[in-house]
Amino acid sequence: TIRDIIEEYLKKDKRPKHITDILNHVYKFRQTTENSVVSNIKADVSKRFVFYKGNYIGLKTMGKQLRMF
């Protein structure tokens, strides 16, 4: 799924990524839109994604190490 693609991408670097970077990664695997990707992330019932200022997205499991972000 799109969410799984994003989760794997975020796990690699262990830091939040800007939505543009996430979109560029997703586009390699799926033909979709920015709105669809953001909607997919927000619709995640497991709440594994966290939104940060400046259109950055990270994983909830990244936890305390991201307080500086």
Side-chain angles (χ1 to χ4, degrees):
T1 68
I2 288 175
R3 284 173 273 203
D4 293 335
I5 292 168
I6 297 168
E7 181 179 26
E8 287 179 28
Y9 179 61
L10 292 172
K11 280 182 176 179
K12 283 183 190 177
D13 196 22
K14 298 182 173 117
R15 292 178 35 191
K17 295 285 190 181
H18 193 270
I19 186 64
T20 303
D21 297 325
I22 292 171
L23 290 170
N24 287 333
H25 183 73
V26 171
Y27 292 156
K28 294 175 188 175
F29 305 96
R30 297 279 197 281
Q31 191 173 17
T32 187
T33 65
E34 178 178 354
N35 189 44
S36 177
V37 170
V38 172
S39 294
N40 257 279
I41 295 170
K42 288 181 178 181
D44 183 44
V45 294
S46 67
K47 305 293 183 199
R48 58 186 151 173
F49 301 102
V50 179
F51 288 82
Y52 296 94
K53 289 182 183 179
N55 291 321
Y56 282 83
I57 300 169
L59 291 173
K60 188 176 186 178
T61 58
M62 294 174 172
K64 295 177 185 175
Q65 66 193 31
L66 299 176
R67 293 233 168 115
M68 65 183 160
F69 213 81

